[in-house]
Amino acid sequence: NPNSISSNTVNKLALDSRGNLWIATQRGGLDLLDLKKNQFTHYVHSDDDTGSISDNNVKTVFEDAEHNIWAGTSSGGLNRLNKGTNTFTRFAHDDANMQTISGNTVSCIFEDKTHRIWVGTLGNGLNLFDPQKGSFIRYQHDEKNGNSVAGINILSLNDDDEGNLWVGVENAGISIFKKGTGKFYNYQHDEIDNNSLNGNSIYSIYCDRLGNMWLGAFSGGINLFKRSTKSFNHYTHNDAPNSLSNNFV
């Protein structure tokens, strides 16, 4: 049925400014569902069409403030849908060009409060997109630099109400890119510190209206970072009926 979803394995959903639903699928490309008409449009890769999406394994989808649709793929890098032509511009890694995206496995896309587009990858760190040049600035882990991003696998992105970028990293905790410093400040789980991060793989980040940051950790439950105390409170599953239902957040 051409008017059905292209794959039953869905990696990400995004509701755009027109009320349409974008669906990032595994092996089925990118789907657009017009919720008013209940009608699907499918965007799939074609070897013969350089304007098609670069890969049918779509890991994430995002709409920016200018209503551009971005799609990150498992092996084809980053894609931006051109509204006028309904074709994609591809941004792929090139070993010979340091201004290309750092890797082709794109895990997350985020637009900060100053409308900069950040792109996280699996295996190759973080990227900042320069829309004027169509190029990228890379932020990668450096074991010799304690103020570099904490790891190579980026899982989640968000910013706080002060404009700092929070970066969830696999097995490396949270990296905070402090506005105006060019430095990352890293927080990880410490077994002897009950106020430290309660898990080192951060899959979700949310800023509430009070400026507190909520972090979802793989096997660590929820971490609440209160700006007033600069420490973490934990919400985890236990035998109590009013506890968190599961620690995999």
Side-chain angles (χ1 to χ4, degrees):
N1 182 358
N3 197 41
S4 67
I5 192 169
S6 58
S7 169
N8 287 329
T9 304
V10 174
N11 293 324
K12 188 80 173 182
L13 300 172
L15 191 67
D16 70 18
S17 53
R18 296 179 297 170
N20 297 317
L21 185 67
W22 293 86
I23 306 165
T25 77
Q26 191 74 9
R27 297 183 299 277
L30 181 66
D31 282 354
L32 168 62
L33 175 59
D34 185 323
L35 293 173
K36 294 179 181 178
K37 299 179 181 179
N38 196 33
Q39 181 176 326
F40 280 93
T41 301
H42 306 295
Y43 297 91
V44 295
H45 173 72
S46 171
D47 291 337
D48 299 323
D49 183 2
T50 58
S52 68
I53 196 166
S54 61
D55 181 10
N56 282 333
N57 292 325
V58 184
K59 295 186 71 66
T60 189
V61 60
F62 178 80
E63 182 188 35
D64 66 22
E66 295 183 353
H67 311 304
N68 296 304
I69 299 298
W70 299 80
T73 67
S74 290
S75 60
L78 183 68
N79 297 259
R80 182 181 61 200
L81 182 62
N82 303 308
K83 290 173 285 188
T85 61
N86 215 30
T87 60
F88 288 90
T89 298
R90 301 174 181 178
F91 301 94
H93 173 71
D94 181 349
D95 286 335
N97 185 352
M98 287 294 293
Q99 292 187 326
T100 60
I101 193 169
S102 62
N104 283 331
T105 304
V106 175
S107 52
C108 49
I109 307 165
F110 177 71
E111 182 177 18
D112 67 21
K113 288 180 173 58
T114 58
H115 302 298
R116 297 182 298 177
I117 301 294
W118 296 88
V119 184
T121 71
L122 297 182
N124 293 282
L126 181 66
N127 299 263
L128 174 61
F129 180 65
D130 183 338
Q132 303 301 321
K133 298 179 181 178
S135 61
F136 296 83
I137 299 170
R138 301 177 183 180
Y139 296 89
Q140 294 177 300
H141 176 64
D142 181 356
E143 290 185 359
K144 298 178 180 179
N145 180 4
N147 290 119
S148 68
V149 65
I152 61 174
N153 293 323
I154 310 301
L155 301 176
S156 54
L157 297 166
N158 209 333
D159 57 2
D160 61 27
D161 59 0
E162 295 178 339
N164 304 309
L165 182 72
W166 289 57
V167 184
V169 186
E170 185 177 36
N171 297 323
I174 194 83
S175 288
I176 304 174
F177 190 56
K178 290 287 188 179
K179 184 179 180 181
T181 68
K183 295 180 179 180
F184 291 88
Y185 294 85
N186 301 316
Y187 296 84
Q188 296 181 343
H189 174 65
D190 184 344
E191 290 185 356
I192 63 173
D193 182 359
N194 291 331
N195 293 316
S196 70
L197 196 63
N198 197 29
N200 279 332
S201 292
I202 306 302
Y203 278 83
S204 55
I205 308 170
Y206 176 73
C207 180
D208 69 22
R209 58 185 178 84
L210 299 177
N212 299 315
M213 301 299 291
W214 297 79
L215 312 176
F218 182 82
S219 81
I222 295 175
N223 296 261
L224 169 60
F225 184 82
K226 289 190 174 181
R227 191 167 55 188
S228 58
T229 62
K230 303 295 183 184
S231 62
F232 292 94
N233 291 349
H234 308 133
Y235 298 87
T236 58
H237 173 71
N238 55 46
D239 292 334
N242 62 341
S243 72
L244 189 66
S245 61
N246 193 290
N247 285 330
F248 293 87
V249 179

